[in-house]
Amino acid sequence: MSTPFLFSGSSHRDFAVKVAEQLNVFLGDVFCGPFPDGEINLQILSNVRGADVFVVQSTAGDPNYNLMELFLFADALKRASAKSVCAVMPYFAYSRQDRKDRPRVPITAKLIADLLTTAGVDRVLTMDLHSGQVQGFFDVPVDNLYGRPVLASELMKMDLRDPVVLAPDLGAVKIARAYSNHLEIDFAVIDKRRVNSEQVFMTTIIGDVRERDVILVDDMCSTGGTMAAAARLSKEHGARRVLAAFTHGLFVGDALEKMFSGGIEHILTTDTVPSPVKYDDRVKIISVAPLFGEVIRRITCNESISDIFY
Ligand code: R5P
């Protein structure tokens, strides 16, 4: 077995360190700073000739910078004769624009896929892509992991009364069904209309939430608008308590306050993105870095990854 060679981009070094610990390897040396004009000045300092290299870069926070840095990593590694380059993107930015839902808009998920492979990426390892179909935008292997098993097992430890999984929009039905199967409980769904990137409009819940503990699930939370509106609607429909579980907690701006004031009591999420905010014990963050470490080991040994999930 060849040993995976791991590098960390600058977006989420804590996560990369945990992955390295899981794999019992050191992070490769790299110099990365700005040129005087703001361009990125990057140099790989370790010898990577013939190596299977994994670059950990979560593309949240400053997606444009983080993506550009990742492209430069891939280009530099390929030119330094790395055998393969895997982009380890715990959170894959720009994946929400995966089709032309309005006239004259880009399909950013496809563009990022093209840019990654042009830069030299041979494989992508990510988690809970906004839609699974984004894998088809790549002509290289994409391993899309699920955050559900770690979040669901945390939910199972909680004292929930007559719980029901609630999808805050039709796009979340698939993930809600997976949670409902995993937890062996009902699921319901909300009819959501988006007014703009920060405002949503919800009036109807398809399913029964009255006198029940509602678990809102989604792939991600950005401004918290979706979760807050869904919590409010659940309460209006007689929900007893509302909790939220999502993989990527971007927590943009006052997302947390918005969700708490909407009536969410507890939030469960993972560490796929570095947390930009301080949180109290109403928020629980479960690390998926060990899972990424194990998957990288399996990729290096040509072992099955789906075995972990089924
Ligand atoms: C939308 O389709 C996504 O799954 C999320 O529901 C959405 O992106 C969350 O955004 P926000 O937190 O800003 O409402």
Side-chain angles (χ1 to χ4, degrees), residues 96 130 169 192 194 197 218-226:
R96 281 183 286 179
H130 184 60
D169 56 29
K192 172 180 108 175
R194 191 168 271 288
S197 59
D218 210 342
D219 57 330
M220 65 184 289
C221 158
S222 175
T223 66
T226 300

Side-chain angles (χ1 to χ4, degrees), residues 101-287:
D101 58 353
R102 286 164 293 143
R104 299 177 296 282
V105 292
I107 302 182
T108 57
K110 166 69 174 144
L111 177 64
I112 300 300
D114 288 345
L115 292 172
L116 282 167
T117 45
T118 300
V121 165
D122 301 290
R123 169 185 285 276
V124 174
L125 171 57
T126 187
M127 177 168 267
D128 283 321
L129 278 169
H130 184 60
S131 59
Q133 298 89 309
V134 169
Q135 291 168 82
F137 293 168
F138 287 88
D139 287 327
V140 295
V142 177
D143 293 306
N144 181 28
L145 312 182
Y146 304 112
R148 176 192 22 91
V150 286
L151 294 176
S153 62
E154 213 46 47
L155 285 164
M156 282 160 119
K157 292 181 206 157
M158 298 176 80
D159 182 24
L160 300 176
R161 230 196 283 167
D162 198 10
V164 56
V165 172
L166 180 58
D169 56 29
L170 295 177
V173 166
K174 213 168 168 192
I175 201 164
R177 192 178 291 129
Y179 271 93
S180 120
N181 287 342
H182 192 125
L183 298 167
E184 299 181 336
I185 58 177
D186 293 345
F187 87 94
V189 58
I190 293 178
D191 179 23
K192 172 180 108 175
R193 316 271 156 97
R194 191 168 271 288
V195 182
N196 56 41
S197 59
E198 294 197 14
Q199 282 178 296
V200 292
F201 177 66
M202 301 176 175
T203 51
T204 316
I205 298 183
I206 305 161
D208 178 22
V209 299
R210 190 160 297 281
E211 295 299 323
R212 303 178 81 172
D213 286 351
V214 167
I215 308 164
L216 284 166
V217 297
D218 210 342
D219 57 330
M220 65 184 289
C221 158
S222 175
T223 66
T226 300
M227 286 288 164
R232 220 166 265 126
L233 189 66
S234 306
K235 287 282 187 179
E236 283 165 20
H237 281 68
R240 203 177 73 86
R241 293 168 73 200
V242 185
L243 295 84
F246 42 82
T247 306
H248 311 296
L250 269 58
F251 300 136
V252 174
D254 62 350
L256 274 181
E257 292 73 35
K258 222 186 268 178
M259 287 189 281
F260 292 138
S261 63
I264 293 176
E265 285 182 25
H266 287 286
I267 293 171
L268 292 179
T269 188
T270 75
D271 59 350
T272 54
V273 301
S275 181
V277 289
K278 293 229 173 303
Y279 43 83
D280 56 30
D281 58 9
R282 289 175 292 179
V283 181
K284 183 152 194 187
I285 300 194
I286 299 134
S287 183

